[in-house]
Amino acid sequence: VQLQASGGGLVQAGGSLRLSCAASGSIFAIGAMRWYRQAPGKQRELVATLTSGGTTNYADSVQGRFTISRDNAKNTVVYLQMNSLKPEDTAAYYCNFRILVMGWNDYWGQGTLVTVSS
C-alpha cells in the first residue's frame, strides 16, 4: 500500500490550496483518513480527520478555514481544501490512512510542502 500526497506549493496569505492524497495497492477497506502537518522545529500536529462514517474533526487553528473530504468516485482519495491561508499554516502536510490489508494499520504519505508568504 502506498499513499501519494500532492498539491502543496507557495501561496500568499489569504490564498487557497487544495491538497490531495491517493492510496494504492491491495486495500480491503479504509477507516479514518487524516491530515497532519509539521512546521520547522515543531512537533507534528493533527489538522483534520474524516472518519469512515463521514464525521469530520478539525484542529482549532484551522476550523472554518480547512475542509477535509473524500472523492465521491474514488474512495481511496482524500482532499484538504485550505482557504484563508496564514503564514502560520506553513508546514509539510502529511496524509495518514488507517487501512485494512492484513489487519488494520496506519499508512503515511510522503508529505507535501505548503508555504504561505505574508
Side-chain angles (χ1 to χ4, degrees):
V1 174
Q2 290 187 328
L3 268 58
Q4 180 69 43
S6 61
L10 174 64
V11 63
Q12 289 188 332
S16 299
L17 282 175
R18 190 177 79 159
L19 306 183
S20 301
C21 182
S24 61
S26 299
I27 298 169
F28 287 100
I30 298 178
M33 298 168 147
R34 295 182 173 92
W35 285 97
Y36 288 77
R37 68 184 180 187
Q38 187 167 19
K42 295 188 177 181
Q43 289 187 331
R44 189 171 295 189
E45 65 171 339
L46 177 61
V47 174
T49 300
L50 174 63
T51 70
S52 57
T55 300
T56 57
N57 287 288
Y58 299 94
D60 289 343
S61 58
V62 307
Q63 181 75 46
R65 300 188 297 120
F66 290 12
T67 302
I68 187 170
S69 63
R70 177 180 289 193
D71 190 293
N72 289 331
K74 303 176 183 178
N75 289 330
T76 56
V77 178
V78 71
Y79 303 107
L80 185 68
Q81 178 66 43
M82 305 185 295
N83 299 328
S84 303
L85 283 162
K86 304 176 181 180
E88 50 264 44
D89 295 319
T90 294
Y93 284 72
Y94 299 88
C95 53
N96 169 276
F97 292 5
R98 175 141 290 201
I99 296 176
L100 178 61
V101 179
M102 294 182 67
W104 287 99
N105 290 287
D106 285 329
Y107 293 85
W108 291 87
Q110 84 283 9
T112 184
L113 183 62
V114 173
T115 303
V116 184
S117 63
S118 58

